[in-house]
Amino acid sequence: MHQNQEFRFNEVLFEHRNKEYGAYVLRNESDRILTKALFIGVSLLAAVSITPVVINAFKTTPVADGGGYELPPPIIIHDYETPPTVVVPPKATQVPNTRTYDSTVPTPSSDAPDTNTEKIPDDAVAGLKNDFKADPAPQNTYVPTAPTIGTGPVINIAPPIVVPKEDPNVVVGSGELSQEAGFIGGIDAFRNKVMNNFDTSGLASDDVMKTTITFIVERDGSISAIKASGSDADFNNEAIRTIKSIKGKWIPGKNKKGESVRSYFKFPISMKLDN
């Protein structure tokens, strides 16, 4: 009755509709699908439950030993005594009866008896008593063997080359310079500074006044040891004053290695005064 009611309900529900639609088929076959799923589930559950029983049935049970096995007779180990080691004493070396003298040092004492001052023979050896009547001791003829000195290759070791240290205070000449010292800004800028700072008010001469200024350019760019070699002392003094008053750094000269060194610099000055 239930199936018939369900069938009639489906017919009414899908009346005038496409019955080939999947919902109509599923509603009609739902009972059959559920029944099939039930049987499959029960079958899988039964298979899982029976599998351990089948596995245990095919296992072989080890047979316990029921006895009857005889053990082999025990092996008896006898303790044998190790024979004692026979120690052979070394043969006593026969000491030859040689001529000896008493070499013991007597203990100092106030009541020590006088000892015999008999002369000791030259062929007697040191011993514990004086026995001058025995045979003379054999002479020692042992000669030490000279060591063998190999003749290997002779290596000539050259003495180390000592590089003399350059004195940092030495003033390098122009012939030893790779670059001469120069004023920062150029020599023309230095000459213009000299001319602008030179004071000729205290000088008087109709001739051309000349002098040569010599100074040392230090490695830090400063100058020192300023000298003038002109014939007029007043002109020389003013030239030295002018050089000292000029502000500015110098580029130090460089030696052949490219190192900054102290070097001389000459600067000639010639001037015609207008009176």
Side-chain angles (χ1 to χ4, degrees):
M1 289 177 66
H2 177 73
Q3 290 180 354
N4 292 332
Q5 292 177 0
E6 185 70 22
F7 177 76
R8 287 195 298 271
F9 178 74
N10 291 336
E11 291 295 331
V12 174
L13 181 63
F14 288 93
E15 187 178 2
H16 305 297
R17 293 186 182 182
N18 185 12
K19 294 184 180 180
E20 299 297 330
Y21 185 65
Y24 177 79
V25 177
L26 288 176
R27 291 179 68 87
N28 287 335
E29 296 182 357
S30 61
D31 293 338
R32 186 171 57 84
I33 294 172
L34 290 175
T35 304
K36 184 186 294 185
L38 177 62
F39 280 107
I40 293 174
V42 172
S43 300
L44 290 176
L45 182 60
V48 172
S49 301
I50 296 174
T51 299
V53 178
V54 175
I55 294 174
N56 292 330
F58 284 99
K59 283 186 178 179
T60 59
T61 304
V63 180
D65 189 5
Y69 178 76
E70 295 182 358
L71 296 175
I75 299 174
I76 300 174
I77 301 175
H78 299 280
D79 294 334
Y80 295 97
E81 294 183 357
T82 304
T85 304
V86 179
V87 179
V88 180
K91 294 182 179 181
T93 304
Q94 185 177 0
V95 180
N97 188 13
T98 57
R99 189 173 300 174
T100 61
Y101 66 91
D102 188 4
S103 61
T104 58
V105 179
T107 303
S109 177
S110 59
D111 54 351
D114 295 336
T115 57
N116 189 6
T117 58
E118 186 178 357
K119 183 179 179 182
I120 300 174
D122 296 336
D123 54 358
V125 295
L128 300 177
K129 64 178 181 177
N130 292 329
D131 188 5
F132 301 153
K133 296 181 180 181
D135 297 333
Q139 295 182 356
N140 187 7
T141 58
Y142 173 74
V143 178
T145 305
T148 303
I149 301 176
T151 57
V154 179
I155 301 174
N156 295 325
I157 300 176
I161 300 174
V162 179
V163 180
K165 293 184 178 181
E166 296 182 359
D167 187 0
N169 297 322
V170 173
V171 182
V172 180
S174 59
E176 301 177 5
L177 296 176
S178 61
Q179 178 182 343
E180 294 185 355
F183 187 75
I184 297 177
I187 191 64
D188 292 336
F190 180 72
R191 184 179 294 107
N192 293 333
K193 288 178 179 293
V194 171
M195 294 296 104
N196 294 332
N197 290 281
F198 207 95
D199 186 10
T200 60
S201 60
L203 302 176
S205 177
D206 296 333
D207 299 330
V208 176
M209 305 184 74
K210 296 181 180 180
T211 187
T212 300
I213 301 296
T214 305
F215 52 86
I216 298 174
V217 179
E218 302 289 345
R219 290 181 294 177
D220 60 352
S222 60
I223 60 175
S224 63
I226 304 173
K227 297 179 181 179
S229 61
S231 58
D232 191 287
D234 294 335
F235 190 75
N236 291 339
N237 293 333
E238 179 58 26
I240 293 173
R241 186 202 66 79
T242 303
I243 297 297
K244 290 181 178 180
S245 64
I246 294 176
K247 305 296 182 182
K249 286 285 186 178
W250 288 72
I251 301 174
K254 298 183 182 297
N255 58 11
K256 303 296 183 180
K257 300 178 182 179
E259 300 171 342
S260 299
V261 293
R262 305 176 73 207
S263 60
Y264 287 109
F265 191 86
K266 293 182 179 181
F267 183 74
I269 300 176
S270 60
M271 193 174 296
K272 179 69 170 69
L273 301 180
D274 295 332
N275 294 328

